[in-house]
Every structure is written in structure tokens, then in C-alpha cells.
């Protein structure tokens, strides 16, 4: 049977067919839908949203040690969070097969950087597999588990935004019932003491040698020869599809699906047949550097950009010098940056902060990153998950020791608080930081499209569970005052911020109001309108208004009224 | 790129573009085409610029296109048509909804909504302008505007051999089917 699937959906299907029984992830674009689709197989696979990527990865590693085929999925920057366990698990090797899916985001469609995570395979010494479309995303995963178990090694499964979010037809298969590997206590294998690690280190080098030999014969690596061609193209992932689009049958291809260790014999043999050899890969010269180091002549990043995603157009221009004709039209196009939704609870907080002088606000990753956008402009920094609180701590210490009296706030969302905000919050009370952590609790993981988290009272698999309250956590770690406030009540919000700025003891703020896009919330019955006699310049789009009435509180002329049943 | 046809759908988050692309693909698949679609989404918020690309033909490799390659650009919002116009082939067609959604710089008075979009489009490209939003309001639900545009897209592409009504039935909740069939037919007429 054939089905139209996104790459993410196909990975979930692949996990099912490969006999996976445990999957764990933390949501992050473009990886989120992998686990969302995993739930479709809940009769066979246990899946969970972990509080962060490191926990997700460790859960999957534990399951692998216990004998399950397991999978962990995350966005590229999530692998930075999860890096600690993987560098050691590659030394130890697996029991049940273990695959870590990294979803990279070339061009930063929804990310803070575009790091090329293929280097993690080389760095942590894992096998690397790169599918190029939905069919391969499913099929290659079955091979990934075989490799993981046969070579006793974790597999890094690297996809990109265009693989994850493109849809194409997939031929489905049956689930292979692999069951589980028996669990046998093995102190020498799974306990990473220095003595064991030293031995494992040597073994790992041998595994990589065996993997290189496999790579040369792997069904995932295929040469496609076309007649009378003098261009040979070595490529992987979506770049293969773009190359085919541009060169068609006027070139021959070495299409690599297993990309670390690289099949150097295969590459050498392929390259020897052509006058010109191109290495076409998105982002960094990961393959090219290794191929050149092996003494094989090829052309890559001399001509192809190492920044942003590729497309057929960019390739044609870079390698053939051809440009596709296109036209613009003569009008002024105004940018359309993403904005906080109408009625977003975060607005009330950021509006309040935008009026406060002599403050610095460290932000974090989530919808509330948009608090930085004009006209709010109420953030000073955004780095990575969790840094909202801890970077603010550093700023506060810097201001303190250098005698400046700027007040520092650190902002995280509920999901981000559970992800890695908690440790920062502990640092603040422990080391007596003079900063104010603010948890914007909107009862959901907003930006990635509404996933459950430890605060929502539901698991990924739809079961009811304990709903952790950031207020309780902050109190438990020692905050003297934890103020709870409705951010859309501007007066109360303002009072709380003032109280926080004047506090002499540890003070944290938790704003509470659900994201307006959460389904199944009771609908707002009232809307706001502008009375046209009082104001001629403003209007409220009734299809967008959710009746939060923040505008009423802001308007100095009482020109806005509520309509509808109260 | 042989006989592969490229469709670019653009608009503003919340206008129902993803659903139209999904149904478009379903129809094309039924008709036996190889189909690929790419969408860029991430942020859950409403209000950003949204695009999806649908490619169909005998055999499709890449799911994305570059500048000057779309056969048709369907824009759910006026200014968005101008933003993405470079992706259209010089001889390509534009179907544009004559509807303005001000972006943040416009709403805050930092910039003005461009006045001459339709004229500028018409000067360079074969352009069909419709009031899909108005038509949807007349039909009784503003949210069917995407289906009005869907009808117009199908007409512009000449994909009449596919049973689109069936596709609507299969992809929409039962109680929304009738009104959306009306919207679709309206789009075919406009
Ligand atoms: S999705 Fe929710 S949290 Fe995100 S901007 Fe919209 S209302 Fe705010």
C-alpha cells in the first residue's frame, strides 16, 4: 500500500516496522511530528515527551540497554543538550538497537543557528545515515537498526527540514517482530568506568573499521551510471534530489545514504571514472573534506555555498552558470514578521516591561522570543533553551560586581522552565543572584504546535498524569516570594513587576493564562470594538479579537468597549 | 524540468493554505501523478507569511523550486503575491485574492500597505484577481475563503478531470462539506 507521508511521519512508520518499542523526544521544529505520529503505534511502542533532549536520549539509551530497539528524536540544537550521553554510549555499544534522529534546519527556518550535525557522528564516533525523502526515511531506519545491533554502535539518523516537512508517496511494509534482546548484567560493557572505557575505546576503533568496510557494500550507498557522462556527482540527502533535477541523465551519481564512515573505496572507484567530480552537500563540506583528505580530486565548496539550504536553482547557478529567468513587480512589499497572536497572554507581560526603565530582560526559546519584536521590543537577549534565567543571572552578577544598578529579569515559558530553566533558577537562589526569574506559564508548549509537557497534566500517549506547577517548584527550591499573576490584568501585572524590582529577598514571578490557540478552551464570549465617535484612527479586526481586553486597559480615551454577553 | 508542474501557494498563517495543499495533493495522487509537497512551518503563531509548494508530473525529484519556476502562484493575500512573485515563471499565471491583511509594520504605522499591487502584477503577469474573502462571507462563512481559492486554482490549472467534490468530502468534517462545495464552485465561476 502507498501512502502520502511527510518525512517525519515516515520515520515514525519506520520505527514501527523496525520493531521499536520505546521512543522519547523533546519537541523542536522540524522534528516534532516524529513523536506525534509515533502515538499512532501506541499498541506497540511506548512513546514520551521528556522534559528535555538529554533526558529523552537517556531514556532511549536505557531502553536499549534493557533490550528494546529504541529511538530518540530532536532538533539539531537539541543534540547539543543530549551530547553528554551519546559520546559515551558510542563507547559502550548497544543491546537493543539505538537510533538518535537529528533534524537539522539549514536556512534556520525555525532555529537560532544552522549547525551541521553530521559532525556529531564523526565527533562522537557513531554510524551516520541520511535519507533523502519520505520513502527512504522509512526504509533506511530498518537498516539503521540492523547496523546498530550488528556493529554494536549507536546510529545518528540525520534529516533536514526539507526531508521532515516534504510529503511524498511511501510504500508501506509490515512490522518485523524482533521482540527484545534478553537483558544480561554486564559490568564490563555498560559501566563506563575509566578502566572499562579504555578498553571500549580500542574496540570502538575496530567497529568503525568494520563499518567502513560495510559502507563500501551497503545497500544505502548506490552508484547510478548514465551513458556518455563525464560528470560524476557524489551526494547525499536532499542534495541528491536537487542534483537530479539539475543534471538529470547528463551526469552519473554516487548517492550515499550511509555517510559515516564514508565508503572511501567506492568513492575512489566512482571518482576515477570521470573528468569532473562534484561533491554536492548542504551546509558544511563534511564529505568533501574527508574525500579530499583521502587524496581524491573533487570540487565542492569552491563553487557551492556552505551556508543556507540548497535548491536546484542555486546548484544550477553555482555549477552550470545558468540562471532561471524571473521577474519582479513594481510595488513596495512590507515585511511580515511573525508576531504574537492577537490576545496572546505574553503580550500583557511584555507590554508592562516595555514601560520599565533601567531594566534588562534575558529571553529564551519559545513564542515569547517574539517579545523582542517591535513595537514591544522587550527582550535584550535570546541564546538557547534555559539561558533565559541563567544568562540573566550572569548579567545581574556583572552589573552587581561592577557597581551598576540595572534590574535584570529572566524570562522562560512553562515547557522551557521544565526543560532547563529549573537549574538556572536554583543557581539564582543558591548563589544569591539579584535577578527575577519570570515563568510565562501558558499551560502548553506553544511554539512547536501545542505539545504536552510536565505542567499540562497529560502525557504524549494521552494519559492523565500529575501536573507540575512552576509555582510549587520555585517555592520548593527556595524562593521567598513567588508572585502569581494574570498577565492580561495590566494593573496587577505592573504591581507585581514593581514589587519584584523593590524586593530585598528572592522573588520570582509566574504569569498564568493559557495560550489562546489551545483547543477545547471555553470560547471568549465578548469582543472589543472601537467606538468610532471617540476614535477615528483605530479599529479592531473582529475575526482576530479574542476579547482579552488588554487594549481597553491601554487606551487612555476609553474609546474601546466590550460587546457580547458578559 | 520536463512535464513537471509547479504550484506555489502563499498567504498568511491561519488562512487555511495547508489544508488546500493537502487536498490538492490528494486529487493529484488519485489522478495518478507523482506528487511532492513542501511546506515551511514552525511557529504556531498566527500572522506570519506562509508558503507551500506542490509539484506534480510523471516523476518528481526535488520537492522545492527556485526562482522563476512556478507555473502558477496562488496568493491568499494581496501583498504576499508581490512578495513571492520572483518564484513565478515569466509566462506563469497569478491568482490573487483581493484581500489585505496588514503586517505589523503597517499596523503600527511604520509603513503603508502598498496601493498598487494588483496593477503592478497585471502589468507583468497574466493575473486573475478575485474577492474570495468577500465571496466566502456571502456564502456564509469567511473561513471558506481558502476553498474559493482552491476552486479558482483548479480552474486555472485546467484540472477538471479530477473529482474534487469527492476530495472535499473525504477531507472535511461532514457538517462543513456542503458550504465548502458551494465555496469551491464559486471559485470555479469567479
Ligand atoms: S501560539 Fe499561544 S503562546 Fe504562541 S503567540 Fe500564539 S497565543 Fe501566544
Amino acid at each position: 500500500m502507498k501512502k502520502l507521508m511527510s518525512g517525519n511521519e515516515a520515520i515514525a512508520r519506520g520505527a514501527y516496522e523496525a520493531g521499536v518499542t520505546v521512543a522519547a523526544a523533546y519537541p523542536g521544529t522540524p522534528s516534532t511530528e516524529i513523536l506525534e505520529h509515533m502515538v499512532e503505534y501506541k499498541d506497540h511502542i511506548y512513546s514520551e515527551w521528556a522534559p528535555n533532549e538529554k533526558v529523552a536520549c537517556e531514556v532511549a539509551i536505557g531502553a536499549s540497554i534493557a533490550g528494546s530497539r529504541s529511538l530518540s528524536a530532536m532538533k539539531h540544537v537539541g543534540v547539543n543538550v543530549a551530547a553528554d550521553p551519546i559520546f559515551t554510549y558510542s563507547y559502550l555499544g548497544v543491546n537493543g538497537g539505538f537510533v538518535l534522529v537529528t533534524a537539522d534546519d539549514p536556512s534556520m527556518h525555525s532555529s537560532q543557528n544552522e549547525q551541521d550535525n553530521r559532525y556529531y557522528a564523526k565527533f562522537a564516533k557513531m554510524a551516520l545515515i541520511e535519507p533523502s525523502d519520505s520513502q527512504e526515511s522509512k526504509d533506511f531506519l530498518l537498516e539503521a537498526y540492523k547496523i546498530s545491533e550488528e556493529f554494536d554502535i549507536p546510529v545518528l539518523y540525520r534529516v533536514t527540514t526539507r526531508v521532515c516537512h516534504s510529503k511524498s508517496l511511501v510504500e508501506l511494509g509490515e512490522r518485523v517482530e524482533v521482540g527484545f534482546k534478553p537483558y544480561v548484567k554486564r559490568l564490563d560493557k555498560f559501566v563506563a568506568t575509566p578502566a572499562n572505557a579504555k578498553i571500549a575505546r580500542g574496540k570502538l576503533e575496530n567497529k568503525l573499521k568494520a563499518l567502513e568496510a560495510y559502507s563500501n557494500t551497503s545497500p544505502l550507498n548506490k552508484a547510478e551510471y548514465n551513458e556518455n557522462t563525464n560528470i560524476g556527482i557524489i551526494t547525499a540527502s536532499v542534495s541528491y534530489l536537487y542534483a537530479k533535477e539539475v543534471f538529470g541523465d547528463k551526469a552519473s551519481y554516487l548517492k550515499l545514504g550511509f555517510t559515516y564512515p564514508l565508503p572511501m573505496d567506492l568513492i575512489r572507484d566512482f571518482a576515477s571514472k570521470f573528468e569532473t567530480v562534484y561533491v554536492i552537500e548542504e551546509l558544511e563540506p563534511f564529505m568533501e573534506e574527508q574525500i579530499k583528505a583521502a587524496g581524491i580530486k573533487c570540487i565542492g565548496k569552491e563553487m557551492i555555498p556552505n551556508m543556507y539550504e540548497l535548491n536546484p536553482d542555486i546548484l544550477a547557478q553555482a555549477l552550470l552558470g545558468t540562471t532561471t529567468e524571473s521577474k519582479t513587480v513594481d510595488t513596495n512589499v512590507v515585511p511580515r514578521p511573525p508576531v504574537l497572536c492577537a490576545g496572546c497572554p505574553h503580550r500583557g507581560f511584555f507590554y508592562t516591561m516595555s514601560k520599565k526603565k533601567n531594566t534588562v530582560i534575558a529571553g529564551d526559546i519559545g513564542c515569547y522570543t517574539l517579545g523582542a519584536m517591535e513595537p514591544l521590543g522587550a527582550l535584550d537577549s535570546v541564546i538557547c533553551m534555559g539561558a533565559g534565567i541563567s544568562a540573566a543571572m550572569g548579567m545581574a552578577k556583572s552589573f552587581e560586581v561592577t557597581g551598576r544598578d540595572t534590574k535584570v529579569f529572566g524570562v522562560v515559558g512553562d515547557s522551557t522552565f521544565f526543560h532547563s530553566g529549573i537549574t538556572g533558577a536554583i543557581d539564582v537562589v543558591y548563589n544569591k543572584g539579584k535577578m527575577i526569574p519570570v515563568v510565562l506559564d501558558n499551560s502548553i508548549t506553544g511554539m512547536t504546535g501545542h505539545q504536552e509537557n510536565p505542567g499540562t497534566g497529560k502525557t504524549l500517549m494521552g494519559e492523565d498524569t500529575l501536573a507540575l506547577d512552576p509555582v510549587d517548584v520555585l517555592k520548593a527550591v527556595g524562593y521567598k516570594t513567588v508572585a502569581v499573576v494574570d498577565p492580561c490584568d495590566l494593573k496587577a501585572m505592573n504591581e507585581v513587576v514593581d514589587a519584584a524590582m523593590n524586593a530585598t529577598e528572592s522573588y520570582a514571578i509566574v504569569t498564568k493564562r493559557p495560550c489562546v490557540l489551545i483547543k477545547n478552551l471555553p470560547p471568549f464570549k465578548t469582543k472589543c470594538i472601537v467606538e468610532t465617535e471617540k476614535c477615528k484612527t483605530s479599529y479592531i479586526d473582529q475575526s482576530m479579537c479574542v476579547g482579552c481586553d488588554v487594549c481597553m486597559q491601554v487606551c487612555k480615551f476609553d474609546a474601546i468597549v466590550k460587546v457580547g454577553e458578559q | 524540468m520536463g512535464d513537471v508542474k509547479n504550484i506555489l501557494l502563499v498567504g498568511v498563517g491561519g488562512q487555511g493554505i495547508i489544508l488546500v495543499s493537502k487536498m490538492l495533493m490528494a486529487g493529484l495522487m488519485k489522478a495518478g501523478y507523482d506528487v511532492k509537497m513542501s511546506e515551511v512551518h514552525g511557529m504556531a503563531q498566527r500572522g506570519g507569511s506562509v508558503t507551500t509548494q506542490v509539484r506534480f508530473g510523471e516523476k518528481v525529484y526535488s520537492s522545492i523550486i527556485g526562482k522563476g519556476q512556478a507555473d502558477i502562484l496562488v496568493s491568499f493575500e494581496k501583498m504576499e503575491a508581490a512578495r513571492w512573485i520572483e518564484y513565478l515563471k515569466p509566462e506563469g499565471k497569478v491568482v490573487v485574492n483581493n484581500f489585505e491583511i496588514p503586517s505589523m509594520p503597517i499596523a503600527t504605522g511604520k509603513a503603508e500597505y502598498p496601493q498598487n499591487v494588483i496593477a503592478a502584477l497585471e502589468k507583468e503577469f497574466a493575473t486573475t484577481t478575485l474577492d474570495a474573502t468577500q465571496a466566502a462571507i456571502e456564502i456564509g462563512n469567511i473561513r471558506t475563503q481558502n476553498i474559493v481559492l482552491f476552486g479558482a486554482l483548479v480552474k486555472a490549472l485546467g484540472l477538471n478531470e479530477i473529482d474534487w467534490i469527492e476530495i472535499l468530502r473525504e477531507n472535511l468534517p461532514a457538517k462543513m462539506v456542503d458550504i465548502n462545495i458551494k465555496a469551491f464552485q464559486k471559485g470555479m465561476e469567479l
Side-chain angles (χ1 to χ4, degrees):
Chain A
M1 193 183 95
K2 276 202 174 179
K3 204 179 159 208
L4 188 66
M5 284 182 158
S6 70
N8 283 345
E9 204 175 339
I11 290 174
R13 175 73 196 188
Y16 164 76
E17 288 181 14
V20 166
T21 45
V22 175
Y26 182 79
T29 313
S31 72
T32 311
E33 300 83 3
I34 298 172
L35 266 270
E36 288 186 324
H37 284 289
M38 205 67 85
V39 181
E40 290 159 23
Y41 310 104
K42 67 173 164 198
D43 292 343
H44 299 87
I45 304 173
Y46 164 81
S47 47
E48 68 166 44
W49 290 130
N52 70 29
E53 293 86 353
K54 179 170 182 282
V55 173
C57 190
E58 289 159 349
V59 166
I61 286 174
S64 156
I65 293 174
S68 279
R69 283 192 166 181
S70 70
L71 177 142
S72 186
M74 55 203 61
K75 69 182 292 172
H76 58 340
V77 288
V79 180
N80 301 335
V81 178
D84 199 2
I86 60 176
F87 276 75
T88 301
Y89 202 46
S90 61
Y91 277 38
L92 305 184
V94 305
N95 185 19
F98 168 76
V99 172
L100 173 63
V101 180
T102 170
D104 294 9
D105 190 18
S107 278
M108 297 156 276
H109 294 287
S110 194
S111 305
Q112 63 268 45
N113 74 31
E114 61 167 7
Q115 64 185 52
D116 187 334
N117 272 9
R118 293 178 298 170
Y119 286 96
Y120 266 116
K122 197 163 183 260
F123 193 11
K125 298 180 182 284
M126 298 180 279
L128 175 62
I129 294 179
E130 293 182 79
S132 69
D133 63 8
S134 299
Q135 182 75 55
E136 289 184 358
S137 292
K138 177 185 84 65
D139 293 348
F140 286 11
L141 199 53
L142 278 86
E143 186 69 14
Y145 282 98
K146 278 193 218 153
I147 293 166
S148 176
E149 288 174 0
E150 192 178 322
F151 294 90
D152 194 19
I153 200 160
V155 174
L156 184 66
Y157 204 72
R158 191 244 192 184
V159 284
T160 61
T161 302
R162 296 299 181 174
V163 178
C164 297
H165 287 170
S166 291
K167 289 190 174 158
S168 54
L169 291 168
V170 177
E171 180 75 52
L172 304 183
E174 296 295 320
R175 179 171 167 99
V176 226
E177 286 302 344
V178 289
F180 55 87
K181 293 268 172 77
Y183 174 72
V184 186
K185 186 168 175 146
R186 287 197 45 197
L187 297 179
D188 61 325
K189 181 170 168 69
F190 290 120
V191 183
T193 58
N196 286 342
K198 253 182 206 159
I199 297 164
R201 176 75 187 85
K203 284 189 189 157
L204 179 55
E205 234 31 59
N206 293 334
K207 289 180 197 172
L208 290 171
K209 282 208 187 79
L211 271 171
E212 185 177 342
Y214 159 84
S215 186
N216 282 307
T217 58
S218 169
L220 307 186
N221 294 333
K222 267 193 289 213
E224 253 176 71
Y225 292 104
N226 285 312
E227 271 169 49
N228 304 322
T229 52
N230 50 22
I231 298 174
I233 293 174
I234 301 165
T235 184
S237 188
V238 284
S239 304
Y240 164 71
L241 303 171
Y242 304 157
K244 288 281 277 199
E245 195 80 51
V246 173
F247 290 91
D249 58 9
K250 297 196 173 55
S252 294
Y253 304 86
L254 182 60
K255 198 281 191 186
L256 303 179
F258 187 88
T259 44
Y260 191 79
L262 279 172
M264 218 43 97
D265 293 345
L266 196 63
I267 292 171
R268 188 171 284 110
D269 177 61
F270 176 83
S272 71
K273 297 184 168 69
F274 302 95
E275 275 165 40
T276 310
V277 176
Y278 292 127
V279 179
I280 304 183
E281 57 192 322
E282 222 165 35
L283 298 182
E284 305 296 334
F286 175 76
M287 300 195 292
E288 182 190 336
E289 280 172 349
Q290 298 177 63
I291 294 168
K292 283 187 172 154
I296 301 164
K297 239 181 85 187
C298 61
I299 299 165
K301 295 300 169 188
E302 300 92 329
M303 300 178 81
I304 304 165
N306 71 338
M307 273 193 285
Y308 311 133
E309 61 182 1
L310 298 176
N311 67 30
D313 219 26
I314 295 170
L315 281 187
Q317 207 169 337
L319 299 176
L320 302 174
T322 54
T323 45
T324 318
E325 212 193 311
S326 69
K327 294 194 287 192
T328 53
V329 296
D330 184 18
T331 187
N332 179 35
V333 179
V334 182
R336 192 182 294 280
V339 286
L340 293 169
C341 300
C344 174
H346 301 334
R347 280 177 189 276
F349 169 73
F350 286 121
Y351 175 77
T352 305
M353 291 310 296
S354 70
K355 305 284 173 218
K356 299 287 169 204
K357 299 259 148 37
N358 203 23
T359 52
V360 165
I361 312 166
D364 213 297
I365 310 286
C367 285
Y368 46 89
T369 307
L370 297 173
M373 309 293 260
E374 294 297 341
L376 293 165
L379 283 182
D380 292 84
S381 71
V382 170
I383 309 162
C384 65
M385 296 283 289
I389 294 178
S390 26
M393 166 73 173
M395 290 179 181
K397 283 291 174 193
S398 167
F399 289 139
E400 191 185 335
V401 298
T402 54
R404 292 170 286 173
D405 68 349
T406 309
K407 272 282 167 209
V408 187
F409 288 75
V411 177
V412 298
D414 46 336
S415 191
T416 308
F417 178 70
F418 298 124
H419 179 284
S420 47
I422 291 178
T423 39
I426 292 173
D427 187 44
V428 174
V429 269
Y430 170 47
N431 286 309
K432 304 182 195 171
K434 293 205 175 68
M435 62 75 65
I436 300 127
V438 183
V439 181
L440 303 178
D441 184 355
N442 62 357
S443 320
I444 204 80
T445 315
M447 174 136 94
T448 45
H450 295 160
Q451 289 72 35
E452 306 297 343
N453 70 48
T456 63
K458 283 257 184 233
T459 67
L460 170 60
M461 293 176 76
E463 285 170 18
D464 291 326
T465 184
L466 167 116
L468 201 55
D469 190 336
V471 176
D472 296 339
V473 177
L474 287 164
K475 281 189 184 150
V477 303
Y479 282 83
K480 281 277 183 306
T481 309
V482 182
V484 182
V485 59
D486 174 357
C488 290
D489 181 345
L490 295 183
K491 188 161 165 279
M493 187 71 244
N494 193 49
E495 281 166 13
V496 163
V497 169
D498 283 345
M501 288 173 76
N502 294 321
T504 48
E505 285 182 315
S506 59
Y507 196 107
I509 300 173
V510 179
T511 69
K512 280 201 184 270
R513 192 172 177 110
C515 164
V516 296
L517 294 193
I518 296 181
K519 294 197 186 88
N520 308 325
L521 279 181
F524 286 91
K525 294 214 175 94
T526 54
K527 292 201 182 239
C528 294
I529 56 163
V530 179
E531 293 198 309
T532 40
E533 325 70 88
K534 289 195 185 148
C535 175
K536 306 227 175 318
T537 51
S538 304
Y539 73 97
I540 294 168
D541 182 341
Q542 292 299 297
S543 68
M544 301 285 277
C545 179
V546 296
C548 69
D549 77 28
V550 166
C551 58
M552 259 174 92
Q553 301 171 49
V554 170
C555 176
K556 292 195 186 83
F557 305 99
D558 290 331
I560 299 172
V561 291
K562 267 197 169 183
V563 292
E565 45 173 300
Q566 292 285 334
Chain B
M1 293 195 187
D3 63 342
V4 175
K5 283 253 185 288
N6 305 319
I7 306 167
L8 180 59
L9 301 161
V10 304
V12 176
Q15 286 194 294
I17 296 183
I18 308 261
L19 178 65
V20 169
S21 337
K22 204 177 126 197
M23 292 197 285
L24 184 59
M25 289 199 76
L28 292 167
M29 261 168 63
K30 272 207 177 156
Y33 290 109
D34 187 21
V35 206
K36 279 195 177 161
M37 166 180 139
S38 183
E39 58 193 43
V40 169
H41 58 77
M43 307 219 171
Q45 308 89 4
R46 301 180 283 195
S49 166
V50 173
T51 66
T52 69
Q53 308 183 346
V54 175
R55 311 192 66 215
F56 68 100
E58 270 246 335
K59 171 78 195 148
V60 182
Y61 290 105
S62 167
S63 65
I64 59 168
I65 55 168
K67 290 187 177 151
Q69 289 175 342
D71 294 277
I72 183 165
L73 169 69
V74 182
S75 186
F76 287 49
E77 198 274 348
K78 214 163 65 178
M79 187 170 69
E80 291 310 303
R83 187 185 316 282
W84 294 97
I85 200 74
E86 262 189 289
Y87 282 78
L88 195 60
K89 287 179 181 165
E91 71 281 12
K93 286 187 203 169
V94 186
V95 174
V96 56
N97 183 13
N98 194 6
F99 181 64
E100 297 181 2
I101 303 178
S103 66
M104 193 46 94
I106 297 167
T108 55
K110 291 237 161 68
E112 262 180 46
Y113 197 98
Q115 288 309 310
N116 61 338
V117 177
I118 302 288
L121 290 168
E122 279 171 347
K123 199 168 149 232
E124 302 288 341
F125 294 93
T127 305
T128 311
T129 309
L130 32 139
D131 286 314
T133 312
Q134 191 51 38
I137 292 170
E138 278 161 27
I139 288 164
N141 187 341
I142 186 173
R143 304 196 58 180
T144 61
Q145 57 165 345
N146 59 340
I147 307 302
V148 176
L149 283 156
F150 188 23
L153 163 67
V154 163
K155 182 176 162 197
L157 283 172
L159 291 167
N160 302 327
E161 76 280 9
I162 298 167
D163 185 355
W164 295 104
I165 303 297
E166 171 95 9
I167 302 286
L168 291 174
R169 282 189 206 290
E170 284 169 8
N171 285 281
L172 296 168
K175 62 176 200 284
M176 294 303 291
V177 168
D178 287 343
I179 191 164
N180 278 296
I181 291 177
K182 257 194 234 160
F184 185 81
Q185 283 161 344
K186 185 85 196 171
M188 298 273 287
E189 288 160 18
L190 284 174

